[in-house]
Amino acid sequence: MTSPLRIVVVGDELVAGAGDPKALGWVGRVVARSIAPVPPVVVTLAMPGETSTDLGTRWETEALPRFDPETDNRLVIGLGRADATARLSLARSRLNLANMLDGAAQRRIPAFVVGPPPGRPEENAKLAELSTALGDVADRRHVPYVDAFTPLVAHDQWLADMAAGDGVLPGQAGYGLIAWLVLHTGWHSWLGIPSDAD
């Protein structure tokens, strides 16, 4: 019998689904499509507006007590846009993610990374560089990385959803698009569960 899944998701307001009228965000939509023999326990630890430096400081203190030695523990890192708006260097962002992934690996906790989605037009050049850099860090460690930027930056539905809101947070359609990207970037195989029919 396989161990039940315990998934801890750390990140900013995007992992909490802020701005989604249905309050599901991408995490809720992904979990709803994750059919396991025993429903997974999913814990979301969100801190609005935090950079990867902030996240790197707190993830162990907050996430580790929520894991259980009797479960199949997994860590999902949802990286937001704050590194770009706070003007963190790419080197610092890379190091922050590398330290988190190395820390999880040392504890034998498989990790999965979701990169930042597009933001305001004036932020997108920096976000494109950031997403590429973070993806490289994950790839070097053989950790699944969801590029949420490239497929969405010119996506009509994403742009319409952002324009209909405050231009910062996606709504139902935007979170649905991020969820689709997660589900189609090795999510089910990473968890070792069957993929449902799409």
Side-chain angles (χ1 to χ4, degrees), residues 143-186:
V143 170
Y145 179 79
V146 178
D147 176 2
F149 180 85
T150 307
L152 299 181
V153 68
H155 193 289
D156 289 343
Q157 195 175 9
W158 173 268
L159 295 173
D161 197 51
M162 293 290 282
D166 61 4
V168 177
L169 294 171
Q172 292 182 52
Y175 280 117
L177 290 167
I178 297 173
W180 190 93
L181 291 170
V182 171
L183 289 165
H184 289 81
T185 311

Side-chain angles (χ1 to χ4, degrees), residues 94-147:
R94 290 176 62 98
L95 181 61
N96 290 336
L97 177 57
N99 287 339
M100 286 186 274
L101 294 179
D102 292 346
Q106 288 167 6
R107 291 167 175 78
R108 293 186 168 83
I109 301 169
F112 188 100
V113 181
V114 180
R120 298 183 188 277
E122 63 271 20
E123 300 168 354
N124 282 339
K126 175 70 173 171
L127 286 169
E129 294 179 346
L130 178 63
S131 180
T132 299
L134 297 172
D136 181 62
V137 171
D139 185 59
R140 287 170 184 266
R141 287 159 176 77
H142 308 289
V143 170
Y145 179 79
V146 178
D147 176 2

